[in-house]
Amino acid sequence: MELSNLPASSERTKRKRVGRGIGSGSGKTSCRGQKGQKSRTGGGVRRGFEGGQTPLYRRLPKRGFKNINGKTYTEVTLSMLNKSEATDVTAESLIAEGIIGKANDGIVVLGTGKLEKKLTVKATRFTKNASEKIQALGGKIEVI
């Protein structure tokens, strides 16, 4: 392909007017053939239709479920709490400092990592290991 013989762009090619008589080049049946479902207005089959055969989405088994009462907590580790400047750590302070993006249904503090300072932590949930490590340094935990 060269610059001298590029295909015409869609802006320059005229729209094909179908059903405007035999002289138009695509008249009478408008390029739809003679009879049948596809020749009629609104004709055609829906997506996934397999000619009356049970479609694939119904042949496959259903798996899993969506728990409508399920909660998604944002996980915060002790090493993430070390990065915090505040001594009174809440979800709002962690978001403001950019340590976490957002607190979905609350935050859960996990015991991974090493805590190096005394903190008062307010969260929705604490793991047993995390609460022990925070309290060992003289910090406090508050379940919101």
Side-chain angles (χ1 to χ4, degrees), residues 71-124:
K71 306 261 189 255
T72 50
Y73 296 107
T74 304
E75 296 176 348
V76 177
T77 61
L78 294 179
S79 53
M80 290 165 82
L81 292 178
N82 277 331
K83 297 176 188 172
S84 177
E85 302 289 324
T87 54
D88 192 31
V89 179
T90 60
E92 291 79 26
S93 67
L94 291 172
I95 292 167
E97 292 180 60
I99 295 171
I100 59 173
K102 64 176 181 173
N104 297 324
D105 290 322
I107 59 173
V108 57
V109 181
L110 306 176
T112 50
K114 191 173 180 184
L115 191 64
E116 296 162 357
K117 54 188 174 184
K118 179 181 171 182
L119 295 172
T120 304
V121 184
K122 296 177 183 175
T124 313

Side-chain angles (χ1 to χ4, degrees), residues 12-139:
R12 292 196 182 117
T13 54
K14 286 192 171 184
R15 185 173 62 91
K16 183 182 255 190
R17 293 183 71 217
V18 294
R20 291 296 177 268
I22 292 167
S24 68
S26 55
K28 189 176 179 281
T29 55
S30 307
C31 305
R32 287 172 171 260
Q34 293 295 321
K35 291 189 271 189
Q37 185 177 17
K38 289 195 211 169
S39 71
R40 315 252 195 278
T41 305
V45 293
R46 67 180 177 275
R47 198 168 25 141
F49 184 68
E50 298 181 23
Q53 171 180 305
T54 307
L56 182 67
Y57 68 87
R58 288 190 55 205
R59 289 195 304 262
L60 296 175
K62 292 195 268 186
R63 286 189 48 109
F65 75 104
K66 175 81 171 157
N67 185 359
I68 58 168
N69 298 319
K71 306 261 189 255
T72 50
Y73 296 107
T74 304
E75 296 176 348
V76 177
T77 61
L78 294 179
S79 53
M80 290 165 82
L81 292 178
N82 277 331
K83 297 176 188 172
S84 177
E85 302 289 324
T87 54
D88 192 31
V89 179
T90 60
E92 291 79 26
S93 67
L94 291 172
I95 292 167
E97 292 180 60
I99 295 171
I100 59 173
K102 64 176 181 173
N104 297 324
D105 290 322
I107 59 173
V108 57
V109 181
L110 306 176
T112 50
K114 191 173 180 184
L115 191 64
E116 296 162 357
K117 54 188 174 184
K118 179 181 171 182
L119 295 172
T120 304
V121 184
K122 296 177 183 175
T124 313
R125 290 177 55 207
F126 293 88
T127 61
K128 186 177 178 184
N129 192 13
S131 60
E132 288 172 359
K133 286 182 179 180
I134 292 169
Q135 290 170 342
L137 285 170

